[in-house]
Amino acid sequence: MNRVWIDVDVLFTSPSLEVCSEAVRRFLVEVCLALQACAPDRIGFVRRKGGPQDWISVDWADVKDLPVVTQYRTGALHVIGRQSEAKKYSKARNGAAPPHVAGIADVLKTQFQVLRAASGWFGAAARYGAQQWQENLARRSILSKNDGATGKSRHSAFLNGAPLKDLARPGDFFLALGPSWNRPDYSQTIRWLRDVIRVQFGLFVHDLQPVRYPEWFTKATNTHYEAWHRTVLPLVDQVFVRSDAVAEEVTDYLAHIKRPLLQPIVTVSVGSGLTSTEGNLPRQAARKIPLEGNYVLYVGTLEPRRNHELLLRVWRHLRKGMAEGSLPKLVFVGQVGWLVSDLMQQLENSDWLNGQVLLVSAPSDAQRAALYRNCLFTVDPSLAGDLSLPALESLQYGKPCLASKPPAERTSDQGLVRYFDPLNLHDASRVIGKAIEDRDELKCWADEIERRFKPVSWQHSAQTILQHTL
């Protein structure tokens, strides 16, 4: 019986957001959970222990209890925005610092708040994970005793950290769902698997943006990313992508480096909804989020391609033409990523656009769901081209979404997303402003989403992958 071995090493090493974004990490967790549910006897999870041939099996129960996964259950909610009036008064009374000193202090304050939020999340997730880890150890001890009494293995090879070289068999499949390009010797792993053990290799390509748009990433990322794909893509037996647009990118890139495809690229419809914590949310995760009044939501890591700066310009523009108090707040949900120091400086200098903008970091899934349910609508001005996972989540919660106009027609939006030009301030302001002002039309749009939207389950995504690996 052939098996699929899934590389989950990225969940153990917790690389930077530039290597593994929040959306990609969510995708990896959800698909792994669905694969495990669909074919538990034929799915194994592995991580790297040392060199390129030193891989060991890991129990899925332990993967689920890693801090990077338990964040969805625990969260460490932190809201960053304008200074309170009391703090402003206190500063004025005690004497303000010189402008250049105050500016530096404000930036450092924001960075400290972001780091504090991250440390709070890691602390909460680690405490939860440690408790679950102990429970898993006790569970495996009981299983081991039962196996000894009955003489059955009961997947013991999957639970005890056995080397992959002792578990994998010819005809098995090794699948990389998350990014592994931060390991420059990954091609050695694949050559060993294919040439020595006779295992096939599948790669999920989320995008090729560091190759196509190097200005959105650091120079080191661009260098490592392209070198890795030049050596690894030619070794892939099966490429998986999330959209036809990414499939076209991969096809063009392989033609550019003169490497043929062994099999047609498989497009996997991305699931929607937050299922990785369903039925397993601690009570504290559902506590009230400190947001008052109407707000528009944008979910995603703060980084260049997500185009947060456009929304700041739109809100400035709309504020000039709207009655005082009628403009809803703009709420960013995500971690602060790379190459956004100018954006953070703008937010500080404008006192978070006089309180119109808030940054929510590290919410639990229960809090994230509440943010979706209580917003007016969501926006996604990303320059990346594809419809994002948060846009699909917005539809899942019955909320209208205004997104960047795609270069080609999309089918994943089911005709329910409306679009604007992400490079045109006036077009974006017109479309977003209309949605804010015409609440009756917004309600009709939300009702249409409730009637027509047919969510893709993560189980469907997993089944598509299994059809091409087993």
Side-chain angles (χ1 to χ4, degrees):
M1 180 174 64
N2 292 339
R3 289 192 171 96
V4 179
W5 302 97
I6 300 175
D7 174 5
V8 292
D9 192 61
V10 71
L11 297 179
F12 284 83
T13 56
S14 297
S16 70
L17 288 170
E18 196 171 3
V19 174
C20 186
S21 69
E22 294 174 280
V24 171
R25 187 179 296 136
R26 164 67 74 174
F27 170 89
L28 178 57
V29 171
E30 295 287 1
V31 171
C32 285
L33 183 69
L35 286 168
Q36 172 71 6
C38 291
D41 295 337
R42 304 186 69 179
I43 297 294
F45 300 95
V46 294
R47 64 163 300 193
R48 184 164 163 169
K49 188 180 179 183
Q53 299 179 18
D54 191 5
W55 290 75
I56 60 171
S57 65
V58 291
D59 183 16
W60 174 242
D62 289 338
V63 177
K64 286 198 304 180
D65 294 322
L66 290 169
V68 75
V69 181
T70 58
Q71 64 165 312
Y72 302 125
R73 281 167 276 183
T74 57
L77 186 72
H78 193 70
V79 180
I80 303 173
R82 75 182 305 179
Q83 301 174 39
S84 69
E85 294 301 321
K87 288 183 178 178
K88 282 186 173 182
Y89 174 77
S90 176
K91 278 190 175 182
R93 184 181 59 183
N94 296 328
H100 66 283
V101 175
I104 295 172
D106 284 342
V107 174
L108 291 175
K109 179 197 71 177
T110 296
Q111 299 304 324
F112 174 74
Q113 288 175 317
V114 170
L115 289 172
R116 185 176 65 181
S119 65
W121 158 68
F122 272 111
R127 288 191 296 273
Y128 184 88
Q131 176 186 349
Q132 293 298 308
W133 190 280
Q134 293 298 323
E135 292 177 1
N136 287 338
L137 286 176
R139 177 180 58 82
R140 285 199 296 277
S141 175
I142 294 172
L143 283 175
S144 178
K145 291 178 181 178
N146 291 341
D147 292 344
T150 61
K152 297 179 181 179
S153 66
R154 298 186 64 177
H155 308 296
S156 58
F158 286 71
L159 300 175
N160 63 7
L164 178 61
K165 62 183 176 63
D166 296 336
L167 299 174
R169 298 289 182 267
D172 283 0
F173 218 97
F174 185 88
L175 181 59
L177 290 172
S180 301
W181 53 266
N182 56 327
R183 291 196 178 275
D185 58 0
Y186 203 74
S187 60
Q188 296 180 38
T189 295
I190 306 310
R191 290 187 184 278
W192 165 66
L193 287 168
R194 295 182 73 211
D195 299 343
V196 176
I197 307 182
R198 302 298 178 185
V199 170
Q200 296 185 78
F201 173 52
L203 176 68
F204 200 105
V205 180
H206 294 270
D207 59 63
L208 288 176
Q209 288 173 6
V211 174
R212 300 179 67 230
Y213 303 103
E215 65 272 21
W216 294 343
F217 302 88
T218 61
K219 189 172 183 179
T221 290
N222 296 332
T223 301
H224 295 322
Y225 190 93
E226 183 161 15
W228 189 91
H229 282 82
R230 277 184 176 272
T231 58
V232 171
L233 269 177
L235 305 176
V236 178
D237 295 293
Q238 182 64 70
V239 174
F240 298 92
V241 295
R242 56 170 303 204
S243 70
D244 293 338
V246 179
E248 186 176 347
E249 288 180 13
V250 174
T251 301
D252 291 345
Y253 182 72
L254 287 171
H256 172 69
I257 64 175
K258 297 179 172 58
R259 298 288 186 177
L261 273 172
L262 297 179
Q263 296 286 343
I265 296 174
V266 174
T267 299
V268 179
S269 298
V270 176
S272 58
L274 311 175
T275 61
S276 60
T277 56
E278 207 168 82
N280 192 26
L281 292 170
R283 289 180 184 177
Q284 65 269 27
R287 69 182 183 274
K288 185 179 178 182
I289 299 172
L291 289 177
E292 296 180 0
N294 294 322
Y295 62 90
V296 175
L297 194 67
Y298 184 25
V299 178
T301 303
L302 277 67
E303 40 114 336
R305 61 185 160 174
R306 298 311 300 265
N307 203 15
H308 288 77
E309 285 196 37
L310 172 70
L311 294 179
L312 293 188
R313 294 165 61 204
V314 167
W315 251 249
R316 287 193 196 101
H317 182 80
L318 293 176
R319 190 172 56 176
K320 294 175 183 177
M322 287 190 175
E324 187 175 352
S326 61
L327 182 64
K329 284 185 168 58
L330 174 61
V331 177
F332 296 150
V333 178
Q335 298 183 54
V336 178
W338 60 97
L339 300 181
V340 290
S341 58
D342 286 350
L343 171 66
M344 301 308 295
Q345 183 71 68
Q346 288 181 52
L347 288 167
E348 283 294 342
N349 290 350
S350 65
D351 199 11
W352 294 79
L353 210 58
N354 293 326
Q356 284 292 146
V357 181
L358 292 171
L359 171 62
V360 177
S361 61
S364 67
D365 273 0
Q367 293 160 344
R368 181 173 166 129
L371 285 165
Y372 275 117
R373 290 192 182 100
N374 296 325
C375 72
L376 287 174
F377 58 90
T378 68
V379 286
D380 184 6
S382 173
L383 300 170
D386 260 341
L387 193 66
S388 67
L389 178 57
L392 294 174
E393 290 175 350
S394 178
L395 298 179
Q396 173 81 20
Y397 286 102
K399 289 298 179 178
C401 178
L402 295 169
S404 302
K405 190 176 296 180
E409 186 177 356
R410 292 171 175 154
T411 57
S412 57
D413 66 0
Q414 300 177 31
L416 295 170
V417 175
R418 299 180 186 177
Y419 296 102
F420 57 86
D421 184 348
L423 299 176
N424 188 318
L425 170 63
H426 296 291
D427 187 53
S429 299
R430 176 184 61 82
V431 173
I432 294 173
K434 185 177 185 301
I436 291 173
E437 293 179 328
D438 194 343
R439 300 296 174 86
D440 291 337
E441 168 60 22
L442 192 66
K443 176 66 166 57
C444 291
W445 183 7
D447 291 341
E448 183 184 10
I449 293 171
E450 291 283 0
R451 291 193 312 269
R452 289 182 46 206
F453 181 64
K454 297 178 180 178
V456 175
S457 69
W458 289 105
Q459 285 71 25
H460 177 79
S461 306
Q463 289 290 357
T464 302
I465 293 172
L466 292 173
Q467 287 170 12
H468 294 86
T469 54
L470 289 178

